[in-house]
Amino acid sequence: MRSLLLPEMTNHRHVFHSDSLKRWNIFIWTIRSLLGLAVIGLLLMGVSLLINSYPKLPRLIGVNEEFKKLKTIDKAHSIEPISKKKTKLRTNQQAPPQILFKDEIRAGFLVNWDSISYATLRKNINSINLVLPEWLFVNPHTDSIVTQINWEAYNFIQAHHVKMIPLLSNFYEDKFNDSCIIRIVSEPEKRHKLISQLIGILERYGFDGVSIDFEDLYLLKNDQDLVEFHRELCDSLHAHEMLASQCIPPFNLDYNIVDLQKFNDYIFVMAYDEHYMTSVPGPVSSIKWVEKVLDYFTEEIESKKFVLCIAGYGYDWIAGGTARTVTFREDRKSTRLNSSHRT
């Protein structure tokens, strides 16, 4: 058996061995320098994020105030239309097939003025395929659009790949403003300006379309002005492969349903407020009343465009006074505390 002879190890020195501490000190200071640079980089990144972070959302008004809306809305953003691609406006009102929902719509409204709204969204995000956030408003002083986007909710929805179609509302400074809407829809130049700004906003934030929520249009004398607005908006949206939709309260003569449904991919019928804050106490949406809503609108709207919206809130009527809005959770909590009329 052949044995392996090893060299004498007693006085063996490694090739890189040195009695000097110079190389060790260089190594230590190199490590310290790299760590120092890393810390400085992290600090600079943090400062940059703080400086460029999104603005905080405004404070909410008192719990359950009328409509629970924002007292003020940020100053209008000057947003120029962004054209990612040149497209020719379509002459018909058929939406590009690829942007339509291939199955039933399972949607929910999202509002900034109720924290429960966002909490509910997070809990049910995997059960819906569309969110309609209340983030766009018409400023009656400038006849232009202001945005009020909840960026935490925006990023959350995008991360879950759920479509977003924001509401464009005429609710501003605690009330619905009809005069500005009348001006806009009745003047071609103002219509074009608002639609152009709206398309720019939708493209900038990657929204999938818009849902028009113009309410309390008491001063509207010519309903064809509103129809023409929706026709022009529908053409512009389809040209940019976006969805056109509208929220309509039931049994309201302000809306020419037959014509309006021609220029919308979807009509969201708001089947609630059978009784309201200043009415006598009663159900928000009784079964028989909702059945009447269904009977009426299914005769006027194509079934593929009809979306029924139901309420997730109630009213609390105090004897001798008007009602206040309450969430389902608040209603359950306060039921035992008073004997008010509640539905």
Side-chain angles (χ1 to χ4, degrees):
M1 182 175 180
R2 185 177 298 178
S3 61
L4 180 64
L5 298 177
L6 299 176
E8 180 62 39
M9 302 297 294
T10 305
N11 297 316
H12 179 72
R13 296 167 62 89
H14 295 291
V15 175
F16 298 104
H17 178 79
S18 174
D19 292 329
S20 173
L21 296 177
K22 181 178 180 180
R23 283 187 294 179
W24 174 251
N25 289 332
I26 292 175
F27 173 76
I28 292 298
W29 280 105
T30 299
I31 296 299
R32 289 175 178 174
S33 299
L34 291 175
L35 290 175
L37 290 173
V39 170
I40 293 173
L42 291 173
L43 290 174
L44 291 175
M45 184 182 297
V47 172
S48 177
L49 290 174
L50 288 175
I51 293 175
N52 296 289
S53 61
Y54 292 115
K56 294 182 178 179
L57 293 175
R59 293 173 60 86
L60 303 180
I61 64 176
V63 178
N64 296 322
E65 294 293 336
E66 182 175 358
F67 296 113
K68 294 183 176 179
K69 296 292 182 177
L70 299 174
K71 281 186 176 179
T72 58
I73 300 177
D74 290 346
K75 186 178 179 180
H77 293 64
S78 177
I79 300 178
E80 296 297 329
I82 299 173
S83 179
K84 295 181 179 179
K85 54 184 178 181
K86 294 183 179 180
T87 52
K88 186 177 180 180
L89 290 181
R90 301 170 189 270
T91 56
N92 59 60
Q93 281 68 51
Q94 296 299 316
Q98 66 271 21
I99 69 174
L100 295 172
F101 286 86
K102 294 179 174 57
D103 54 4
E104 72 278 0
I105 291 180
R106 304 181 304 279
F109 292 103
L110 175 68
V111 296
N112 292 345
W113 40 265
D114 185 358
S115 60
I116 299 298
S117 181
Y118 179 47
T120 303
L121 171 68
R122 294 186 64 90
K123 183 178 180 181
N124 297 283
I125 190 66
N126 294 322
S127 301
I128 60 178
N129 56 9
L130 172 64
V131 178
L132 295 101
E134 189 185 41
W135 289 346
L136 309 180
F137 304 86
V138 178
N139 183 338
H141 307 298
T142 61
D143 293 347
S144 61
I145 301 170
V146 294
T147 61
Q148 190 65 49
I149 299 174
N150 180 331
W151 293 108
E152 182 180 356
Y154 174 91
N155 292 328
F156 176 78
I157 297 167
Q158 276 207 328
H160 286 79
H161 307 291
V162 174
K163 287 183 181 293
M164 279 187 282
I165 297 180
L167 300 180
L168 175 60
S169 172
N170 62 324
F171 193 94
Y172 192 89
E173 296 178 343
D174 296 329
K175 65 178 181 179
F176 286 105
N177 297 275
D178 59 345
S179 58
C180 64
I181 302 303
I182 308 307
R183 286 196 302 271
I184 292 169
V185 301
S186 62
E187 300 180 27
E189 185 177 346
K190 286 185 177 292
R191 286 200 305 265
H192 175 76
K193 182 179 179 181
L194 188 81
I195 291 173
S196 179
Q197 185 193 11
L198 176 59
I199 295 296
I201 292 172
L202 299 178
E203 282 204 308
R204 174 163 297 187
Y205 299 118
F207 292 129
D208 298 287
V210 71
S211 191
I212 302 300
D213 183 23
F214 294 160
E215 301 185 37
D216 292 355
L217 303 179
Y218 302 122
L219 298 179
L220 183 64
K221 296 180 180 180
N222 184 1
D223 58 12
Q224 286 303 309
D225 287 340
L226 186 61
V227 172
E228 181 60 23
F229 170 80
H230 278 274
R231 187 194 67 78
E232 294 176 9
L233 175 61
C234 182
D235 280 344
S236 295
L237 288 168
H238 287 175
H240 292 82
E241 298 188 352
M242 297 178 186
L243 289 168
S245 66
Q246 184 178 5
C247 296
I248 295 181
F251 313 124
N252 191 314
L253 299 180
D254 294 335
Y255 308 93
N256 183 335
I257 306 300
V258 175
D259 286 344
L260 287 172
Q261 65 101 20
K262 298 176 183 177
F263 306 110
N264 282 287
D265 302 312
Y266 300 103
I267 298 290
F268 293 89
V269 179
M270 301 181 288
Y272 40 80
D273 277 0
E274 175 186 3
H275 294 85
Y276 42 93
M277 298 183 70
T278 56
S279 74
V280 298
V284 174
S285 305
S286 65
I287 294 177
K288 290 189 177 296
W289 185 78
V290 173
E291 289 177 347
K292 291 180 181 179
V293 172
L294 287 169
D295 290 340
Y296 175 77
F297 278 97
T298 50
E299 291 181 359
E300 305 291 341
I301 302 174
E302 295 180 54
S303 59
K304 64 181 181 180
K305 296 184 176 184
F306 181 92
V307 183
L308 181 68
C309 305
I310 58 176
Y313 64 92
Y315 291 115
D316 181 7
W317 279 272
I318 306 299
T322 60
R324 65 184 183 90
T325 56
V326 292
T327 65
F328 177 71
R329 178 181 297 183
E330 291 167 338
D331 181 72
R332 292 181 62 186
K333 183 178 180 180
S334 62
T335 296
R336 302 175 183 176
L337 301 179
N338 63 71
S339 58
S340 301
H341 299 289
R342 182 181 290 104
T343 58

